[in-house]
Amino acid sequence: MTAPAQTRVAAERLDAADPLAPARADFALPDGLIYLDGNSLGALPHAAVARTRDVVEREWGDDLIRSWTKNRWIELPTRVGDKIARLIGAGAGEVVVADSTSVNLFKALAGALAMRPERRVILSVADNFPTDLYMAQGLIALLGGRHELRLVAAADIPGAIDATTAVVMLTHVNYRSGAVFDMKAITQSAHRAGALTIWDLAHSAGALPVDLAAAGADLAVGCGYKYLNGGPGAPAFLYVAERHQREFVQPLTGWLGHAAPFAFETGYRPAAGIARGICGTPPVLSLAALEIGVDGLLRFDMAAIRAKSLALGDLFIRRVEARCAGRGLALATPRDHGVRGSQVSFTHADGYPVMQALIARGVIGDFRAPDILRFGFTPLYLRYVDVWDAAEILADVLETRAWDRPEFHARAAVT
Amino acid sequence: MTAPAQTRVAAERLDAADPLAPARADFALPDGLIYLDGNSLGALPHAAVARTRDVVEREWGDDLIRSWTKNRWIELPTRVGDKIARLIGAGAGEVVVADSTSVNLFKALAGALAMRPERRVILSVADNFPTDLYMAQGLIALLGGRHELRLVAAADIPGAIDATTAVVMLTHVNYRSGAVFDMKAITQSAHRAGALTIWDLAHSAGALPVDLAAAGADLAVGCGYKYLNGGPGAPAFLYVAERHQREFVQPLTGWLGHAAPFAFETGYRPAAGIARGICGTPPVLSLAALEIGVDGLLRFDMAAIRAKSLALGDLFIRRVEARCAGRGLALATPRDHGVRGSQVSFTHADGYPVMQALIARGVIGDFRAPDILRFGFTPLYLRYVDVWDAAEILADVLETRAWDRPEFHARAAVT
């Protein structure tokens, strides 16, 4: 394990010795910016510039409709799905790229409830990412209110799984705190009670090693535009364990999930395998960019990414605590590597203006209501010196109360 | 009305006098290709090249997460929706861009059934585009089979609407034949019976004048990648008449349809107005390209587009019938302008290899099972001489039986 640097020179030395250092050159990063928000929108891989141009100019412009076969657009959902599978411990044919995380969660939830028709509880935590809860609420209302979304504290999840639980629906890494659930232990608890699991990998895929197979996971969804560097609003993915695929029925039965889409039959017949998770026509430009982001991650070792992510987080915690003591910050993220994702969060009573002041100084993190300053660590394009400098700037913003200006208090529509 | 040209020189004269002729220069079209498949994938507007580069390189690459406010990504779904509204006779605030046509149909259908809880029939036609039928089947199965998808012949729709009908779900222009439903008359019939309507505008939006307001339409969906020239898999749109929006609840209750997405509340509260039709994060690259396509259409008069579309279709029918008599073709599209969309279809017993041979000769149409040769007419980038030449090439392919070669009979995965 890398010991946190005690000086900026020491941080520079860590960069010089970093096996992932060359990856930074693969990304377009504005000068003078320290980007600690790759957990919200990953940076642009240089290769995505050329790829999107080619998709637009040659594949769309020149080849037009022929690209569905000639340039294999039709394979994109399963081909990119197979690549993502390698990042999350899934097998080929277990992951498909389609729609948004929210829509895929709807498919997974509806599919899970159909596999447990006699059970009525969807178990989750109140601080799950809201869209997960909202999608469950929407499905429950649609089904006539026969089901219940039961929300408990994270620590109470194992004890709350019982014979009424149809599915345990959790986000692997908490979006606010960065705390990680024990996927394997909870999945095993669920299985012992006859329940299924749905894991939302929004803050895990590409961020830390995930092993869905080893955990015995049933269903999962995840996001393309965070650690996978797929671009803004990149399509999301759906995982269905191979053993469940024959039984898996999902209600968004669009034509590209049909066994024979171009036979134009009147009745829906689900495709074999994971392709039944596809609904409508995928957004090709966005999907092509996602493939580049995923390819970029596959060139590096996830264990090395994880080691550097934790070292960057350790350095940030150490420096912030050393430099900002008494300034109202409190660590909201577990120190323990075993239960920490690839982000570090602090609470601060004036978190909103503090983050705006930081952004104005070129340190991009984000704010999550009510009081969370969130900093994401993406080892492919962050350096130890960036983390060092970010902590110094945060210390200065707090020490000088640079955040206490009217323009930093004004709330934007999107924060 | 433009009389069909009797000679190629006359076709050239029509082009010279065509008020829409300058629009062709706005599109990238490969040399030597006659593209009659803009009804399946619209051509690339030159402006989309620069726009997608800018979205990728500056907005994603440089501005990163800040683009949600700085470059107003957050407004894209409603802003582009408002632009599409102007093409389909809807008001500002009645259309939103989101997800795929299939997913939007699910929202519209579920919303309509919730507004007619005591009724159990979804009425449609057996030759509707399959994904519409499939989505209805998926929703019905999810709801426990209490509803029925009743399919009748197109001519029987008005008589089949009764007190059991919850919603009449039709594609305005038939994807195979190009026949157009009388939106206003059917909507009025539905309303007299207390039913709602959902119009799929996949082959109407941008293709012919649509007036949802004048028709009294309730709900509609449509496609971004056909006549709107939004690029492959461009996101789709959803229309909810303003008078229904307060009552409209749809089950895909993702965070961006929430009244306060960035408050991260635990419970879903629908946004006011059409924004409640949004689910997850939109694919920004694809959505930005769609805006360019829509902007391109808005620069021209839809009445002029319609007039040229019909004239192109008339010319094609006239020339094909003159040059291909006795070659096994039969017109599958109404001659009557009042009920014809922007495509012309012919049946042919060997339709599949005939279309492959045509494509090999540079005339791109498409084949729709079991026997339809489909030709789309997109007046912004097609010339009268293109139509003339396409008919000549079709005549030659049939006369010489150029289609009867093994490579043209081999079925591709996507046709």
Side-chain angles (χ1 to χ4, degrees):
Chain A
M1 188 189 313
T2 307
Q6 305 285 340
T7 64
R8 193 174 191 284
V9 169
E12 288 172 357
R13 269 190 230 113
L14 291 177
D15 285 321
D18 174 14
L20 295 178
R24 181 174 169 89
D26 295 345
F27 292 88
L29 293 166
D31 288 341
L33 206 70
I34 300 176
Y35 191 60
L36 305 181
D37 212 3
N39 51 318
S40 193
L41 174 62
L44 168 65
H46 286 302
V49 175
R51 178 70 185 118
T52 51
R53 281 187 64 169
D54 190 52
V55 171
V56 170
E57 298 183 36
R58 182 178 57 84
E59 296 188 359
W60 175 12
D62 293 344
D63 293 335
L64 288 153
I65 194 68
R66 298 169 292 188
S67 282
W68 285 102
T69 44
K70 182 178 175 187
N71 296 308
R72 303 189 299 155
W73 287 349
I74 197 71
E75 298 171 11
L76 273 167
T78 49
R79 184 174 78 225
V80 183
D82 281 347
K83 290 180 176 183
I84 292 171
R86 294 161 54 192
L87 294 171
I88 57 177
E94 290 191 311
V95 178
V96 71
V97 174
D99 302 306
S100 64
T101 307
S102 300
V103 168
N104 287 328
L105 197 75
F106 188 86
K107 299 172 191 168
L109 264 179
L113 294 183
M115 286 194 266
R116 293 293 180 272
E118 72 293 355
R119 296 177 174 221
R120 65 183 191 85
V121 173
I122 299 168
L123 182 65
S124 192
V125 290
D127 65 346
N128 199 344
F129 188 71
T131 211
D132 297 47
L133 304 180
Y134 301 161
M135 295 309 294
Q137 291 161 11
L139 177 62
I140 288 171
L142 185 67
L143 295 178
R146 291 177 292 111
H147 297 83
E148 176 197 345
L149 175 61
R150 188 173 294 170
L151 303 179
V152 302
D156 297 334
I157 283 287
I161 302 170
D162 62 24
T164 69
T165 310
V167 57
V168 182
M169 174 188 79
L170 294 170
T171 300
H172 185 212
V173 178
N174 185 279
Y175 79 106
R176 271 202 187 91
S177 70
V180 182
F181 278 110
D182 185 333
M183 181 185 288
K184 186 170 185 174
I186 290 172
T187 300
Q188 289 176 341
S189 295
H191 289 175
R192 276 193 298 273
L196 297 166
T197 54
I198 299 175
W199 291 101
D200 181 342
L201 305 177
H203 292 271
S204 334
L208 68 168
V210 176
D211 196 335
L212 291 171
D218 302 295
L219 298 152
V221 300
C223 176
Y225 54 78
K226 298 177 185 290
Y227 294 94
L228 298 186
N229 304 317
F237 64 86
L238 171 69
Y239 160 87
V240 180
E242 196 280 337
R243 68 183 181 282
H244 290 310
Q245 289 180 0
R246 284 179 64 91
E247 195 186 357
F248 180 71
V249 290
Q250 60 90 4
L252 302 178
T253 47
W255 73 310
L256 286 188
H258 192 281
F262 292 90
F264 299 99
E265 298 171 5
T266 303
Y268 184 77
R269 291 187 294 126
I274 192 65
R276 63 180 56 183
I278 305 175
C279 181
T281 309
V284 170
L285 308 187
S286 291
L287 184 41
L290 172 59
E291 184 166 30
I292 295 297
V294 174
D295 284 344
L297 273 162
L298 287 171
R299 280 196 289 274
F300 297 94
D301 175 43
M302 188 54 71
I305 291 173
R306 174 63 168 165
K308 183 176 172 188
S309 153
L310 290 168
L312 292 170
D314 284 346
L315 177 61
F316 191 67
I317 293 169
R318 178 80 67 99
R319 293 304 303 158
V320 169
E321 290 186 337
R323 296 282 288 110
C324 307
R327 304 289 183 200
L329 290 176
L331 184 65
T333 298
R335 290 177 202 275
D336 178 357
H337 289 183
V339 291
R340 191 208 303 167
S342 197
Q343 70 182 68
V344 170
S345 300
F346 290 92
T347 59
H348 190 284
D350 290 292
Y352 185 83
V354 168
M355 182 51 74
Q356 305 319 305
L358 266 181
I359 292 170
R361 294 280 297 273
V363 177
I364 314 281
D366 61 24
F367 172 77
R368 284 294 174 259
D371 60 358
I372 293 268
L373 297 162
R374 191 172 69 157
F375 304 93
F377 297 98
T378 45
L380 293 190
Y381 50 86
L382 277 181
R383 299 168 299 200
Y384 290 92
V385 290
D386 294 325
V387 171
W388 182 278
D389 293 344
E392 290 299 303
I393 294 168
L394 174 58
D396 189 66
V397 161
L398 291 171
E399 187 178 329
T400 63
R401 291 183 65 87
W403 55 267
D404 199 9
R405 292 161 54 174
E407 68 266 34
F408 296 141
H409 287 270
R411 299 280 175 132
V414 185
T415 55
Chain B
M1 187 186 314
T2 307
Q6 303 286 339
T7 63
R8 194 174 192 282
V9 170
E12 288 172 357
R13 271 191 228 111
L14 291 176
D15 285 320
D18 174 15
L20 295 179
R24 180 174 168 89
D26 294 346
F27 292 87
L29 293 165
D31 289 341
L33 205 69
I34 300 176
Y35 191 61
L36 305 181
D37 211 5
N39 52 317
S40 192
L41 173 62
L44 168 65
H46 286 302
V49 174
R51 178 70 185 119
T52 51
R53 282 188 64 170
D54 191 52
V55 172
V56 170
E57 297 183 36
R58 182 179 57 83
E59 296 188 359
W60 175 13
D62 292 343
D63 294 335
L64 288 155
I65 194 69
R66 298 169 294 188
S67 282
W68 284 102
T69 45
K70 182 177 175 188
N71 296 309
R72 302 189 300 157
W73 288 347
I74 198 71
E75 298 171 11
L76 273 168
T78 49
R79 184 173 79 226
V80 183
D82 281 348
K83 290 180 177 183
I84 293 172
R86 294 161 54 194
L87 295 171
I88 57 175
E94 290 191 311
V95 178
V96 72
V97 174
D99 303 306
S100 64
T101 307
S102 301
V103 168
N104 287 329
L105 197 74
F106 189 86
K107 298 172 190 167
L109 263 180
L113 294 182
M115 287 194 266
R116 293 293 181 272
E118 74 292 354
R119 297 178 174 220
R120 65 182 191 86
V121 173
I122 300 168
L123 182 64
S124 192
V125 290
D127 65 346
N128 200 344
F129 187 71
T131 209
D132 298 47
L133 305 181
Y134 301 161
M135 295 309 293
Q137 291 161 12
L139 177 61
I140 288 171
L142 185 67
L143 294 178
R146 291 178 291 109
H147 297 83
E148 176 198 343
L149 175 61
R150 188 174 295 171
L151 303 179
V152 302
D156 297 333
I157 283 286
I161 303 170
D162 62 26
T164 68
T165 311
V167 57
V168 182
M169 173 188 82
L170 294 170
T171 299
H172 184 212
V173 178
N174 185 279
Y175 79 106
R176 272 203 187 91
S177 70
V180 183
F181 277 111
D182 185 333
M183 181 186 288
K184 186 170 186 175
I186 290 172
T187 300
Q188 288 177 341
S189 294
H191 289 176
R192 276 194 298 272
L196 297 166
T197 53
I198 299 175
W199 290 101
D200 181 341
L201 305 177
H203 292 271
S204 335
L208 68 168
V210 176
D211 196 336
L212 292 171
D218 302 294
L219 298 152
V221 300
C223 175
Y225 54 80
K226 298 178 184 290
Y227 294 94
L228 298 185
N229 304 317
F237 63 86
L238 171 70
Y239 160 87
V240 181
E242 197 280 338
R243 66 183 182 282
H244 290 309
Q245 289 180 1
R246 285 178 62 92
E247 194 186 355
F248 179 71
V249 292
Q250 61 91 3
L252 301 178
T253 48
W255 73 309
L256 286 188
H258 193 280
F262 293 90
F264 299 99
E265 299 171 4
T266 302
Y268 184 78
R269 290 187 294 125
I274 192 65
R276 65 181 55 185
I278 305 175
C279 182
T281 309
V284 170
L285 308 186
S286 292
L287 185 41
L290 172 61
E291 184 166 30
I292 296 296
V294 174
D295 284 345
L297 272 163
L298 287 170
R299 280 196 290 275
F300 297 95
D301 176 42
M302 188 55 72
I305 290 173
R306 175 62 169 165
K308 183 176 172 187
S309 152
L310 290 169
L312 293 170
D314 285 344
L315 176 60
F316 191 66
I317 293 170
R318 178 81 67 99
R319 293 306 303 159
V320 169
E321 291 186 336
R323 294 283 287 111
C324 306
R327 303 289 182 200
L329 290 176
L331 183 65
T333 299
R335 289 176 202 276
D336 178 358
H337 289 183
V339 290
R340 191 207 304 167
S342 198
Q343 69 181 70
V344 170
S345 300
F346 289 92
T347 58
H348 191 285
D350 289 293
Y352 185 83
V354 168
M355 182 53 73
Q356 305 319 306
L358 267 180
I359 292 170
R361 294 279 297 272
V363 177
I364 314 281
D366 60 24
F367 172 77
R368 284 294 173 258
D371 60 357
I372 294 268
L373 296 163
R374 190 172 71 156
F375 303 93
F377 297 98
T378 46
L380 294 190
Y381 50 86
L382 277 181
R383 298 168 300 199
Y384 291 92
V385 290
D386 295 325
V387 172
W388 182 280
D389 293 344
E392 290 298 304
I393 294 167
L394 175 58
D396 188 66
V397 161
L398 291 172
E399 188 180 330
T400 63
R401 291 183 64 90
W403 55 268
D404 199 10
R405 291 160 53 175
E407 68 266 34
F408 296 141
H409 286 269
R411 299 279 175 132
V414 185
T415 55

